[in-house]
Amino acid sequence: MSSWLAGLRKWCFALALGTLGVLWVIPALAQQPSKLGIAKATSSGQPAPPPKPVEEPSEPAPPGSPRGAVQQYLELSRKGRFQEAGALLDVPASREGERAQLAKRLSAVLNRYVWIDLDKLSEREDGALADGLPPRYEQVGSVPAEHKADVPVRLMRRADGAGWIFSASTIAHIDAWYDGLPDRWLLERLPAPLLRVGPRDLMWWQWLGLLLFVLGSALLGILTGMAVRRVLARAAKHTEATWDDRLIARSRGPLALMLSIAYLRVALPWLLLFEPAEQFVRQGLRGLFLANLVWAFWRLMDVMAELAWDSEWSLAHPSSRALIPLARRVGKAVVSVVAVLLVLSALDYQVSSLIAGLGIGGLAIALASQKTVENLFGAFSLGIDQPFREGDMVRVDGVLGSVERLGLRSTRIRTPDRTVVSIPNGKLADMRLETLAERDRLRLHCNLGLVYGTSAEQVSKVLADLEDVLVKHPKIWPQDISVRFTEFATSSLNVEVTCWFSTKDFLEFTTIRQQVLLAFMKVVEDAGSAFAFPTQTIHLETRPRAARPTLGAPQPAPSAPAAGEVDPS
């Protein structure tokens, strides 16, 4: 039970981090939310999508301009300095002591209903003169009203011309606007720090609520997913097919995540998000949904690969089975690329222009990734030609080992020393490949050296008995048995034995070879012969030699030469 709870905690924590990470990162690829406002409402009362953000001016707006006044008010409101922000409101004398309260309420109304685009506000001290309004007024936005025209939010230039403030007509509507806010109850009861707007136009209490909703949705998604999988597993047991059982077994993670996203989407309205914040969260959930979709397709491809591997066609065509893992990897890569394009399209990127840009840069990419493309096509070539399969024993360029993995870039070979040798597929496709696993039988070839004292009759008996041993063995291939006396070697009489074992297993081959060699030893022993080893026999021949004179002994006088002889001196 404790391990289950630990796994549940890990799952909830991972889902929470993943959700918040997607909410934070993915929408940033599409747009940077405005720091000073939210979506402008339409005349129908429904918030419209926010306009595309524009770059903020590099220099601050002049303080005496409409843009400078609104910018100052929004910055003070975000910092919670409503007493100072109240100085920018045209408050009647009867409500002079309510400046901070009115500034706080106006901030809540603007956050809920009005998109303030600073770049559209005039930076002239006298305001925009061609907007159709009186010279002393500037419109910031409008607040929707039920069954009525939108109520404008306007600025008014001070009587002394020293700057701009929110007009008295706007101040008069603040209480009515504020009373109509759906989150007014929270605004009046939550602590001030939680009511401040944090990153991505979400208040801090909304960030905390979102985190709690993520954890709760994750827990509900896991529990509901377990219940759904149990029901589906019971239904799958009544079918003869096996694909549904495998699919249900692998759908635990994607199913739980999909249900968690659904629960979070249902709970989203309870956060009372501003329009940009809600769009930001929806984009994050959309990105998380696409990631879950990719995950589900990956699991589906795993199931399809397993079914293809165990299918009758695969068993009948074992040479084509190596294409299944390769096809699975390629399929996952294609799904990932399509998912990336869908995410970019969901974030309002022009995918067609992106594809066109990839086509223009295709030549440069092809030149830069020439080896990569070569290895990729080499992988397809090896997969189609099938010189070997994963698990086969091969010998490539002096490397002997079993094929561990045929990848998109390289092939990994596990050597008998348990090391891994990686060979690029492009190079491997041009090499001389020797597949030991394709042997239908294994060959035994050996030379038996008999001692030179073996007679011809003994040699004939040895030859006959050796052949008899091979013929009677059940694992010997009956054809092509060869036992021949081949030569008079330097130190032995050589007998060459060649035969094949009816096995593909190398370990079984070594066992049979041991049995046969022991039988060969007994045959030689029974024939009264023995195995020779390299020897050399040296024969020394002795001859009589003349006596050598002794040192110091008297020498005989030389005789006079006979007639007709010549004195050698």
Side-chain angles (χ1 to χ4, degrees):
M1 185 68 178
S2 60
S3 61
W4 184 86
L5 290 176
L8 181 61
R9 286 196 300 267
K10 291 181 180 179
W11 170 260
C12 293
F13 183 71
L15 182 60
L17 289 182
T19 303
L20 295 180
V22 170
L23 290 175
W24 189 276
V25 175
I26 290 183
L29 299 176
Q31 62 182 12
Q32 294 293 332
S34 172
K35 298 181 179 179
L36 299 174
I38 63 169
K40 179 180 178 180
T42 60
S43 59
S44 61
Q46 299 296 330
K52 294 183 178 180
V54 294
E55 296 183 359
E56 295 184 0
S58 57
E59 298 181 358
S65 65
R67 181 190 297 179
V70 174
Q71 186 174 5
Q72 181 183 6
Y73 171 79
L74 294 176
E75 289 177 354
L76 292 174
S77 298
R78 284 185 173 272
K79 295 177 182 179
R81 297 158 60 179
F82 293 107
Q83 188 65 38
E84 300 177 37
L88 298 173
L89 275 62
D90 186 11
V91 179
S94 60
R95 305 188 66 179
E96 184 65 30
E98 303 178 18
R99 282 186 177 272
Q101 181 182 5
L102 291 173
K104 182 178 179 180
R105 292 187 174 188
L106 178 60
S107 175
V109 172
L110 296 179
N111 287 337
R112 175 62 57 182
Y113 295 117
V114 182
W115 170 275
I116 299 178
D117 191 350
L118 294 178
D119 284 344
K120 292 185 177 180
L121 297 179
S122 176
E123 59 181 359
R124 297 167 53 92
E125 294 186 0
D126 53 354
L129 302 179
D131 55 359
L133 297 175
R136 296 181 59 238
Y137 290 92
E138 189 83 12
Q139 184 161 331
V140 176
S142 59
V143 176
E146 294 184 2
H147 311 295
K148 296 179 182 180
D150 295 350
V151 181
V153 177
R154 292 178 178 176
L155 297 175
M156 180 185 68
R157 192 176 184 184
R158 295 179 185 269
D160 56 0
W164 293 77
I165 57 177
F166 285 93
S167 65
S169 60
T170 299
I171 305 304
H173 288 88
I174 289 179
D175 292 332
W177 290 336
Y178 183 79
D179 291 339
L181 291 178
D183 55 347
R184 182 172 62 88
W185 184 85
L186 291 173
L187 295 176
E188 293 177 351
R189 288 167 176 79
L190 287 178
L194 294 180
L195 294 176
R196 294 178 183 174
V197 179
R200 302 293 180 177
D201 286 323
L202 271 78
M203 293 184 180
W204 286 112
W205 74 265
Q206 292 173 332
W207 275 110
L208 294 177
L210 181 61
L211 179 60
L212 294 177
F213 282 177
V214 168
L215 295 177
S217 300
L219 179 60
L220 289 176
I222 293 174
L223 297 178
T224 309
M226 293 173 58
V228 171
R229 287 177 62 250
R230 286 183 180 179
V231 173
L232 295 178
R234 291 179 181 177
K237 289 182 180 179
H238 299 287
T239 62
E240 297 180 357
T242 59
W243 64 267
D244 49 358
D245 301 277
R246 297 186 181 186
L247 187 61
I248 293 172
R250 287 183 171 270
S251 63
R252 179 177 61 180
L255 179 60
L257 183 56
M258 183 188 69
L259 293 173
S260 301
I261 295 173
Y263 286 131
L264 188 58
R265 182 64 183 86
V266 172
L268 193 60
W270 291 89
L271 290 176
L272 301 174
L273 300 176
F274 305 146
E275 182 66 19
E278 186 173 356
Q279 288 193 358
F280 155 67
V281 175
R282 287 179 179 177
Q283 282 183 340
L285 292 178
R286 192 180 301 116
L288 193 62
F289 174 77
L290 291 175
N292 184 57
L293 198 62
V294 173
W295 190 11
F297 270 106
W298 280 12
R299 291 294 179 89
L300 178 61
M301 289 183 179
D302 290 336
V303 173
M304 294 174 62
E306 292 177 0
L307 293 174
W309 187 270
D310 298 333
S311 63
E312 297 181 358
W313 177 88
S314 176
L315 297 176
H317 302 82
S319 59
S320 301
R321 301 183 79 182
L323 286 174
I324 297 175
L326 182 62
R328 178 177 59 183
R329 298 186 192 107
V330 173
K332 287 185 177 181
V334 171
V335 169
S336 301
V337 172
V338 173
V340 170
L341 294 178
L342 289 176
V343 170
L344 294 177
S345 178
L347 298 177
D348 296 331
Y349 274 91
Q350 296 296 330
V351 180
S352 58
S353 60
L354 177 62
I355 296 176
L358 292 177
I360 295 174
L363 180 60
I365 295 175
L367 293 176
S369 59
Q370 181 179 2
K371 289 296 182 181
T372 302
V373 176
E374 178 184 353
N375 294 327
L376 180 61
F377 279 96
F380 282 104
S381 176
L382 294 173
I384 295 174
D385 191 46
Q386 292 292 307
F388 55 79
R389 297 183 296 273
E390 291 184 358
D392 288 353
M393 183 70 66
V394 297
R395 183 182 288 111
V396 181
D397 197 21
V399 177
L400 176 66
S402 61
V403 179
E404 189 171 79
R405 184 175 182 269
L406 176 61
L408 296 178
R409 180 192 173 276
S410 62
T411 297
R412 301 174 60 183
I413 299 177
R414 178 78 66 174
T415 66
D417 295 331
R418 307 307 299 163
T419 60
V420 176
V421 179
S422 297
I423 304 177
N425 293 327
K427 183 179 180 182
L428 188 62
D430 296 332
M431 284 184 176
R432 178 179 176 269
L433 306 177
E434 185 177 356
T435 306
L436 305 182
E438 291 295 329
R439 296 179 294 186
D440 55 351
R441 52 185 183 269
L442 302 180
R443 184 172 72 103
L444 170 66
H445 176 78
C446 61
N447 282 308
L448 306 179
L450 304 179
V451 295
Y452 258 103
T454 306
S455 63
E457 181 180 355
Q458 289 175 320
V459 172
S460 298
K461 178 176 173 51
V462 168
L463 295 176
D465 291 348
L466 291 178
E467 186 171 355
D468 186 61
V469 168
L470 296 177
V471 171
K472 291 182 179 179
H473 198 286
K475 283 291 186 176
I476 295 297
W477 186 260
Q479 290 84 13
D480 302 327
I481 296 178
S482 174
V483 181
R484 298 291 185 270
F485 173 49
T486 57
E487 63 176 337
F488 296 95
T490 303
S491 57
S492 64
L493 304 174
N494 286 350
V495 176
E496 184 183 62
V497 179
T498 303
C499 63
W500 281 263
F501 296 161
S502 299
T503 181
K504 299 180 181 180
D505 188 0
F506 186 75
L507 294 179
E508 186 181 9
F509 163 74
T510 58
T511 303
I512 301 173
R513 181 178 60 185
Q514 174 181 283
Q515 297 172 356
V516 172
L517 293 180
L518 290 174
F520 286 176
M521 292 180 64
K522 190 173 186 307
V523 167
V524 174
E525 292 173 359
D526 293 343
S529 181
F531 291 105
F533 50 89
T535 59
Q536 287 185 348
T537 303
I538 301 176
H539 296 276
L540 299 178
E541 182 178 358
T542 59
R543 295 181 181 179
R545 294 182 296 177
R548 300 179 61 184
T550 304
L551 183 63
Q555 300 296 326
S559 59
E565 293 182 353
V566 180
D567 188 356
S569 61

